[in-house]
Amino acid sequence: MSERLRLWLERDRRGAGYHLRDAASNEPVTWDDPRLTVIPVAGVSFRPEAVADPSCDPGRRLVLVPEPDNEHDPHAIAIWNDERTLQAGYVPRETAATLDGSEIAVSLWRAGEGLRVLIVPAGSWVGRPR
């Protein structure tokens, strides 16, 4: 049985987003760590007001909502703010097919008009920014 993934979010030096640190070892966690996925949110150009909203600020929890009845992609997974009042966009198609929607999502940083999101397995722990 693998150990539960526990991560701290740490503000980057420019204050634009967060980096990750393993809560057990206190070692930095890189974006290519196989236990996590970091994605650009797809479709943000259709929802610029949602991406700019404080509820999608870096460090905020987001919600993954599977859309099995989506006419364009039955594997589509929408990304909403924690209150489910604003949809930021979608998990990219190639990544969505590998997820079931139970995963944990956290906004990491804004990139231009876009948003980058951390996705970790259900049951993981992602600590509030410190």
Side-chain angles (χ1 to χ4, degrees):
M1 177 184 276
S2 63
E3 186 176 313
R4 177 181 179 199
L5 178 62
R6 295 177 298 144
L7 300 170
W8 281 114
L9 294 174
E10 293 188 334
R11 176 116 7 232
D12 85 346
R13 292 181 192 145
R14 296 169 293 156
Y18 291 92
H19 294 286
L20 305 172
R21 185 165 299 277
D22 187 291
S25 69
N26 208 32
E27 293 294 318
V29 176
T30 61
W31 304 130
D32 61 352
D33 187 299
R35 301 172 296 171
L36 53 97
T37 303
V38 177
I39 58 155
V41 177
V44 295
S45 61
F46 299 106
R47 299 170 183 85
E49 70 289 342
V51 173
D53 190 85
S55 65
C56 290
D57 279 352
R60 298 290 303 262
R61 245 339 133 94
L62 302 172
V63 179
L64 301 176
V65 180
E67 294 183 351
D69 297 328
N70 184 301
E71 66 184 79
H72 303 290
D73 181 4
H75 300 290
I77 299 178
I79 300 173
W80 289 76
N81 65 352
D82 196 34
E83 298 83 20
R84 292 190 188 200
T85 56
L86 289 172
Q87 182 182 357
Y90 285 90
V91 172
R93 181 182 297 248
E94 59 277 1
T95 303
T98 68
L99 305 176
D100 65 17
S102 69
E103 296 83 3
I104 296 168
V106 178
S107 176
L108 281 180
W109 72 90
R110 288 195 174 98
E113 300 296 314
L115 187 65
R116 298 296 186 271
V117 171
L118 167 69
I119 300 175
V120 293
S124 298
W125 179 85
V126 179
R128 290 253 184 237
R130 54 179 181 163

